[in-house]
Amino acid sequence: MGSKNKLKRFKENETFTNVIQPSREEVIGGFKFKGKWNSFFDNDYPIVLELGCGKGEYTVGLAKRNPAKNFIGIDIKGARFWRGAKSAKEENLGNVAFLRTQIELIDQLFAENEIDEIWITFPDPQIKYKRTKHRLTNPDFLKKYKHLLKPKGIVNLKTDSEFMHGYTLGLLQGQGHEILYSNHDVYKNAGSPPEVLEIQTFYENQYLEQGKPITYIQFRIN
């Protein structure tokens, strides 16, 4: 993507009422929507997050299927989720928002027990050992998720990375978390929830063209 295109998208994001772009200082200093996200949406619907939302396909796709839930896509790359934000505006989806920030700050953005569900879709597996702290299912992130999720809240991981799938399964089993469902190849093995099969991201389509299996885990943090 050219720099002019990026700048155009950044400027358009600033005009979207469904895009929130706080500074790091605003987040750490006491984020105005922490614990008050239902005031942003002006309803009391359950809140679902997509972490590393990319172009926002899952955020928008889930929102279409679940009008009685609110969906927030989080990513640091605003030029990517511009597409999802624009689509949500064009389709008058009032239950969609996009938040431009670092996922590491998630516990500064949401209050305890404020979130019902989390989706992690095609994250960077951060394969090198020194990058372990950046894996979105590492123990530190799981602690943050547990704090934010309601007691029965669930986490969904959909990835093309067999490494990420195996790492996460091993960690969940080792720490005694509740694995609700696991599938090593969702399009080959039946049983995955409809939203896993019916919503496909830009990158997922590329992985499928390459013949990569798509994996999925649904779990609850104990």
Side-chain angles (χ1 to χ4, degrees), residues 11-206:
K11 288 183 178 179
E12 195 164 4
N13 277 346
E14 292 175 2
T15 70
F16 291 156
T17 56
N18 62 357
V19 171
I20 305 150
Q21 304 185 87
S23 67
R24 188 180 181 86
E25 291 72 23
E26 287 175 318
V27 172
I28 296 175
F31 187 55
K32 63 181 179 179
F33 290 119
K34 183 178 181 179
K36 303 174 183 176
W37 277 98
N38 288 119
S39 69
F40 175 85
F41 290 103
D42 196 26
N43 60 51
D44 292 322
Y45 295 161
I47 297 174
V48 181
L49 306 181
E50 184 192 2
L51 305 182
C53 66
K55 296 176 181 291
E57 297 101 331
Y58 251 89
T59 301
V60 172
L62 289 169
K64 288 181 182 178
R65 287 164 170 74
N66 302 277
K69 293 182 180 180
N70 297 320
F71 295 85
I72 303 173
I74 302 176
D75 207 300
I76 194 62
K77 297 184 178 179
R80 283 187 183 173
F81 70 58
W82 163 87
R83 179 64 269 171
K86 191 175 181 68
S87 295
K89 294 295 288 183
E90 291 172 345
E91 298 181 45
N92 295 313
L93 296 174
N95 61 333
V96 175
F98 287 91
L99 180 57
R100 184 172 184 258
T101 191
Q102 294 173 304
I103 297 173
E104 288 82 356
L105 300 175
I106 190 172
D107 53 340
Q108 303 291 325
L109 297 158
F110 302 93
E112 183 177 5
N113 298 333
E114 190 172 18
I115 305 304
D116 283 73
E117 189 172 358
I118 293 173
W119 280 82
I120 305 170
T121 52
F122 301 95
D124 186 330
Q126 308 288 359
I127 293 175
K128 292 183 179 179
Y129 178 76
K130 65 181 180 180
R131 300 290 296 175
T132 301
K133 66 179 182 180
H134 297 290
R135 290 178 199 151
L136 292 185
T137 56
N138 74 29
D140 290 337
F141 273 115
L142 293 186
K143 287 179 183 177
K144 290 178 187 280
Y145 304 156
K146 178 173 175 56
H147 179 75
L148 304 180
L149 285 165
K150 292 180 180 178
K152 293 294 183 180
I154 62 174
V155 182
N156 306 274
L157 171 67
K158 186 178 181 183
T159 175
D160 67 299
S161 170
E162 294 180 21
F163 168 82
M164 186 70 169
H165 183 81
Y167 165 81
T168 303
L169 273 181
L171 181 63
L172 295 174
Q173 291 168 345
Q175 292 193 338
H177 301 303
E178 185 180 359
I179 299 170
L180 302 173
Y181 180 79
S182 176
N183 194 326
H184 289 273
D185 191 336
V186 300
Y187 296 108
K188 184 177 181 181
N189 305 318
S192 295
E195 59 267 30
V196 173
L197 303 173
E198 295 171 6
I199 304 174
Q200 294 184 351
T201 72
F202 171 81
Y203 297 106
E204 181 176 358
N205 285 319
Q206 290 186 333

